Amino acid sequence: MLFKFLKASDVKSSEITPERLYHGRRDFMADAARIGAGVAATAAVGIAVPKAAAQSAALQGVRKISAYDTDERPTPFKAVTTYNNFYEFGTGKDDPAKNAHTLITDPWSVKVDGHVDKPGTYSLDDLISPHTMEERLYRMRCVEAWSMVIPWVGVPLKDIITRLGPTSKAKYIRFETLEDHKQMPGQRRRVINWPYVEGLRLDEAMHPLTLMAVGLYGQSLPNQNGAPLRLVVPWKYGFKGIKSIVRISFTDRMPRNSWNELAPNEYGFYANVNPEIDHPRWSQANERRIGEFRRRKTLMFNGYGEEVAHLYAGMNLKKFY
Amino acid sequence: MRLSLFYQKAIVHLLALLPALWLFWQGWLLYDYQDHALTANPIQYINQYTGDWAIRLILLGLALTPLRQVFGWNRLIQFRRMIGLYAFFYVMLHLVNFMVLDHFFDWATIIKDVIKRPAITFGMIAATLLIPLAVTSTKGWVRRLGKKWIKLHQLIYVIGALAVVHNIMMVKADLREPLIHLGILIILLGYRLARRAGFTYSMT
């Protein structure tokens, strides 16, 4: 059992480690790894699931160094949790943090359907706890030309998919966000055709980089960041990272995705980070890392080209953006 | 009791400066590591904020004549130059933020953006056209240009339209505010067209 319930009085890991030290933890981990010969890398992983108050729980002991970590400096916790898009709670960048408190994340269940051996309705615990939780420090590039570095906590999506057993007909995976106008006040206006939908090709979903995140910065996902369960695909623009997932479908056809449906010339299905292909209204050649003054060059596939470029071999990325 | 023109103007100055003062104060808080309202991406925030106020002041400037004619508030004319110059001031803040903070004098990118992206092209034309209007806003220029001054300053109709189009094109999905701006613009320009066609309306 990997989930463990914390009492409200338990100390959160985010309280134990001041953010400044957290930033330096990679140096510490490097030392520890040298001394402990990999002890750190196999450290036990546990997650607390919020029982009463969604915000009170913390993920504990997730201190595994991932082979996929970037060594870049994490964006401050406060920026990660107060500046993002989650139109279900409003279209302003600070709206999600202001309005997402109405979302009830416990209990939470996810419907699994389509071309899959084990369809059904899974509780969050059923879906996540059979798998090994990992912390991954990923770059995150928003299509609006800003970026962050975020320490996500989650399980590789591949592990979940393998257990659910897609059939040979399954070529794509489709995700859906909760639609509930009471919990998600931003949905009272049809800015987007609710519910928000995203999708991946099955091989993209099975890529070891693709993460099903349940936390960040060593604690459970704040509501505004897509609690309790969200997708993280670090080589794609951030809008592919669908939040607050309630349905996962295995399909034989490419699913529509919300932003593509809204403005097909601006947002594609693949949405791979690509500095050479401009958004019609701005260049994607560079980006502003939150917290930095000058823009920096955007990297092909957000810097994960070595890992993922083969997925798109032979494809015309100008056409399949 | 009526306030003297001096105090009336002081009040208008203060009101027009408030958005900028608030922005500078929030910028100071950011600089001082205090909580501020500029979000984690202040440069983007400032872009939008100064752009919004520039458009509001352009529309306000365009509203003065109809308000004067419909309600008979003739004294409004005394504030027209001020409002116009404040619109110019916010447009310049917007432009400087775009060129200095956002792109840090990366002229190659800026020029490419202006040429390639209609939204930015329109915004840049609007800002450029505003410069001669600001320069010729002095009494001396009004006298020197005579009737040509009025012709020249009718450019504000074009500038207003370009600014609103720029505003609409820059917004990703939530078009509420830019469409309100568009609605106001249509009313204000429509009023002038109707008047030119011979319709008049006055509450006084």
Side-chain angles (χ1 to χ4, degrees):
Chain A
M1 180 71 179
L2 286 160
F3 282 80
K4 77 181 174 217
F5 298 100
L6 288 191
K7 293 192 292 281
S9 57
D10 285 343
V11 184
K12 299 176 202 166
S13 69
S14 56
E15 285 168 0
I16 297 167
T17 316
E19 201 180 289
R20 220 174 293 116
L21 297 181
Y22 189 91
H23 288 154
R25 82 197 192 289
R26 253 141 248 285
D27 307 339
F28 165 75
M29 293 312 289
D31 292 338
R34 244 173 274 130
I35 299 162
V39 174
T42 53
V45 167
I47 174 181
V49 164
K51 189 98 194 172
Q55 314 286 11
S56 71
L59 296 166
Q60 286 216 320
V62 183
R63 283 295 174 270
K64 185 175 159 183
I65 295 182
S66 164
Y68 298 112
D69 274 355
T70 161
D71 53 12
E72 289 173 67
R73 202 182 133 85
T75 303
F77 175 80
K78 197 176 170 197
V80 173
T81 52
T82 58
Y83 187 82
N84 65 319
N85 288 317
F86 196 171
Y87 279 16
E88 279 77 353
F89 298 106
T91 52
K93 290 284 177 301
D94 47 358
D95 283 344
K98 277 187 213 153
N99 302 332
H101 57 88
T102 47
L103 179 67
I104 300 158
T105 58
D106 184 32
W108 190 269
S109 60
V110 179
K111 188 177 167 194
V112 174
D113 58 8
H115 301 297
V116 65
D117 289 337
K118 293 176 193 157
T121 301
Y122 294 79
S123 75
L124 180 65
D125 195 3
D126 291 342
L127 202 65
I128 299 297
S129 56
H131 306 291
T132 309
M133 202 85 66
E134 258 189 71
E135 185 186 53
R136 303 263 187 95
L137 187 58
Y138 279 164
R139 287 179 288 271
M140 205 282 294
R141 167 66 153 80
C142 178
V143 71
E144 296 165 357
W146 51 267
S147 63
M148 292 181 173
V149 177
I150 304 175
W152 299 107
V153 181
V155 302
L157 179 59
K158 181 177 73 155
D159 297 352
I160 299 176
I161 292 177
T162 308
R163 186 165 56 100
L164 295 173
T167 70
S168 60
K169 276 188 173 168
K171 299 280 182 282
Y172 294 91
I173 185 165
R174 177 187 183 277
F175 303 92
E176 225 176 81
T177 298
L178 176 71
E179 181 176 5
D180 181 334
H181 300 196
K182 280 211 184 86
Q183 293 186 56
M184 297 179 144
Q187 289 177 334
R188 285 173 204 157
R189 296 181 46 239
R190 282 203 95 68
V191 186
I192 285 172
N193 265 331
W194 315 115
Y196 193 92
V197 171
E198 258 305 340
L200 295 171
R201 223 167 52 192
L202 199 60
D203 60 339
E204 297 178 317
M206 294 291 282
H207 192 280
L209 275 172
T210 308
L211 197 70
M212 197 56 112
V214 295
L216 56 78
Y217 261 110
Q219 64 180 56
S220 356
L221 276 176
N223 286 0
Q224 58 269 31
N225 295 89
L229 184 69
R230 70 166 289 167
L231 185 67
V232 178
V233 196
W235 71 92
K236 293 178 181 286
Y237 291 121
F239 70 86
K240 292 296 283 185
I242 184 168
K243 304 182 183 82
S244 305
I245 298 166
V246 292
R247 186 174 171 197
I248 302 175
S249 313
F250 292 85
T251 65
D252 51 1
R253 249 182 259 181
M254 184 184 278
R256 56 152 239 214
N257 55 321
S258 293
W259 276 104
N260 177 251
E261 199 175 53
L262 195 74
N265 63 323
E266 295 180 16
Y267 314 98
F269 172 79
Y270 286 96
N272 291 317
V273 175
N274 187 341
E276 284 155 30
I277 297 175
D278 289 345
H279 183 280
R281 285 179 289 143
W282 55 81
S283 160
Q284 295 292 24
N286 50 43
E287 69 202 44
R288 173 165 294 106
R289 178 68 50 82
I290 295 301
E292 291 178 357
F293 176 60
R294 300 285 296 271
R295 286 170 180 256
R296 52 164 72 206
K297 275 195 160 36
T298 288
L299 304 171
M300 187 65 201
F301 295 116
N302 203 20
Y304 298 96
E306 218 172 286
E307 288 91 355
V308 302
H310 68 273
L311 294 174
Y312 310 100
M315 274 174 71
N316 178 358
L317 295 181
K318 276 209 152 78
K319 200 173 156 209
F320 299 100
Y321 54 91
Chain B
M1 192 194 88
R2 191 182 293 285
L3 288 172
S4 72
L5 184 62
F6 175 82
Y7 285 109
Q8 289 177 26
K9 283 200 166 173
I11 289 167
V12 176
H13 273 297
L14 191 67
L15 287 175
L17 272 172
L18 270 180
L21 292 175
W22 181 87
L23 188 65
F24 290 126
W25 175 50
Q26 294 300 319
W28 163 257
L29 294 180
L30 167 68
Y31 174 75
D32 200 33
Y33 298 101
Q34 296 188 53
D35 278 341
H36 59 89
L38 304 181
T39 75
N41 194 354
I43 296 171
Q44 165 59 31
Y45 185 94
I46 296 168
N47 258 343
Q48 211 175 321
Y49 182 86
T50 51
D52 281 344
W53 279 103
I55 286 200
R56 284 170 199 155
L57 282 159
I58 289 172
L59 292 177
L60 178 63
L62 281 171
L64 294 182
T65 295
L67 288 176
R68 192 156 63 101
Q69 291 168 347
V70 173
F71 297 102
W73 297 340
N74 284 317
R75 279 181 309 278
L76 280 180
I77 192 76
Q78 293 164 326
F79 308 109
R80 194 167 66 175
R81 180 188 0 219
M82 273 172 69
I83 299 295
L85 283 172
Y86 274 111
F88 178 70
F89 169 67
Y90 283 98
V91 167
M92 287 302 121
L93 286 182
H94 188 59
L95 203 57
V96 165
N97 182 66
F98 173 73
M99 296 199 291
V100 181
L101 296 185
D102 200 0
H103 287 289
F104 204 72
F105 306 111
D106 178 0
W107 296 114
T109 303
I110 294 171
I111 291 166
K112 231 165 65 188
D113 270 359
V114 172
I115 295 169
K116 224 176 144 180
R117 300 178 216 292
I120 299 181
T121 316
F122 294 152
M124 203 56 92
I125 295 173
T128 312
L129 289 181
L130 212 47
I131 295 172
L133 302 201
V135 170
T136 58
S137 66
T138 59
K139 282 199 178 111
W141 275 105
V142 178
R143 203 170 341 107
R144 248 171 292 167
L145 288 173
K147 278 201 172 140
K148 273 184 257 164
W149 189 90
I150 294 170
K151 272 263 170 279
L152 179 67
H153 280 249
Q154 280 171 346
L155 270 180
I156 195 64
Y157 304 145
V158 179
I159 294 167
L162 286 169
V164 169
V165 171
H166 165 76
N167 185 207
I168 292 171
M169 292 180 82
M170 289 311 291
V171 170
K172 220 166 92 175
D174 188 356
L175 285 168
R176 271 179 304 178
E177 266 193 53
L179 288 182
I180 291 172
H181 295 154
L182 178 68
I184 294 172
L185 181 82
I186 289 173
I187 292 169
L188 296 178
L189 296 188
Y191 168 86
R192 288 169 166 87
L193 283 177
R195 210 174 150 86
R196 196 165 280 196
F199 295 98
T200 51
Y201 181 77
S202 164
M203 302 264 287
T204 51

